[in-house]
Amino acid sequence: DVVMTQTPVSLSVSLGGQTSISCRSSQSLVHSDGNTYLYWYLQKPGQSPQLLIYKVSNRFSGVPDRFSGSGSGTDFTLKISRVEPEDLGVYYCYQGTHYPPTFGAGTKLELK
Amino acid sequence: EVQLVESGGGLVQPGRSMKLSCAASGFTFSNYGMAWVRQAPTKGLEWVATISYDGSSTYYRDSVKGRFTISRDNAKSTLYLQMNSLRSEDTATYYCTRGAYWGQGVMVTVSS
């Protein structure tokens, strides 16, 4: 199985600040069809996960441009700028390139 | 508006069976592959099973293979997860998902 390693485990940020989360995969996430099926989800307390970014760098509908995804191959990053209270929760990276699909262990974003 | 509504969870004894349902609305259900993802209490997300848009292909994580069956009824826009020989480690909130859209989740507790 592809192991998704997220760092850090937790983050403490100030409102209005900027931060980033790293996600590294144990194998390249480039699919044979040329796409890279790397996604970012946010799970707010008591809620279901919500999609932020799909295929590395595409913001899902309604996601603010404060969120941006980048990376390639095995190394990916989610950047959050101008952090707002609604951004708090646990962020997960997820790969759908290889079966079984796998999630990172999560990064908890808290307020400083 | 896309909606996914799970039902069928609850408390079940080890070794017994349970069937989850997920009623979909707001999109053409028969056009999309669907999946179940679970989350044990205080833990991260774990993919369980996926089914193709027409039900012809199914995929499972190793730990549920032979015990769980994912299926769908496109005429009823409903996704199912039949869970047999349940174990304590199957205790989790189970989410029905279309990738970008998730249900609210249903809790399954396996305990004597």
Side-chain angles (χ1 to χ4, degrees):
Chain A
D1 298 4
V2 175
V3 177
M4 304 294 285
T5 303
Q6 276 185 245
T7 54
V9 172
S10 64
L11 270 176
S12 186
V13 297
S14 301
L15 288 178
Q18 178 175 300
T19 192
S20 64
I21 300 169
S22 170
C23 178
R24 289 184 173 167
S25 57
S26 60
Q27 300 177 35
S28 172
L29 298 186
V30 180
H31 194 276
S32 56
D33 65 7
N35 289 305
T36 300
Y37 295 100
L38 184 282
Y39 304 79
W40 289 97
Y41 288 92
L42 165 60
Q43 187 173 31
K44 298 180 182 180
Q47 295 187 19
S48 305
Q50 56 187 82
L51 178 64
L52 298 174
I53 302 288
Y54 64 96
K55 289 195 282 185
V56 181
S57 59
N58 300 278
R59 272 187 302 276
F60 184 58
S61 174
V63 175
D65 60 6
R66 303 183 291 99
F67 293 89
S68 63
S70 63
S72 63
T74 63
D75 202 346
F76 304 92
T77 301
L78 176 71
K79 290 184 180 176
I80 313 166
S81 59
R82 306 185 304 279
V83 170
E84 297 187 5
E86 66 201 46
D87 301 338
L88 305 184
V90 181
Y91 290 79
Y92 294 94
C93 60
Y94 166 84
Q95 70 82 19
T97 297
H98 303 285
Y99 264 89
T102 46
F103 289 89
T107 296
K108 188 172 185 179
L109 186 65
E110 299 174 308
L111 273 182
K112 189 177 292 183
Chain B
E1 179 195 4
V2 172
Q3 283 200 320
L4 299 169
V5 180
E6 301 97 337
S7 60
L11 175 64
V12 62
Q13 293 180 327
R16 303 297 290 258
S17 299
M18 178 174 278
K19 187 172 186 176
L20 305 181
S21 300
C22 170
S25 61
F27 66 103
T28 304
F29 182 71
S30 58
N31 286 354
Y32 292 89
M34 297 292 296
W36 289 96
V37 171
R38 68 185 179 185
Q39 186 171 36
T42 73
K43 301 296 184 184
L45 301 167
E46 181 177 82
W47 170 81
V48 175
T50 292
I51 188 167
S52 60
Y53 70 99
D54 60 355
S56 62
S57 298
T58 57
Y59 310 87
Y60 301 92
R61 68 178 302 103
D62 284 350
S63 61
V64 308
K65 216 172 281 186
R67 299 189 299 123
F68 289 13
T69 302
I70 188 172
S71 62
R72 63 191 299 157
D73 185 335
N74 283 346
K76 294 182 178 179
S77 296
T78 302
L79 177 72
Y80 302 102
L81 185 67
Q82 175 68 48
M83 304 183 292
N84 298 332
S85 302
L86 281 161
R87 306 167 180 168
S88 58
E89 54 263 37
D90 297 319
T91 294
T93 296
Y94 285 73
Y95 295 100
C96 160
T97 176
R98 205 196 88 182
Y101 300 95
W102 293 60
Q104 83 286 355
V106 62
M107 185 68 198
V108 173
T109 302
V110 184
S111 175
S112 54

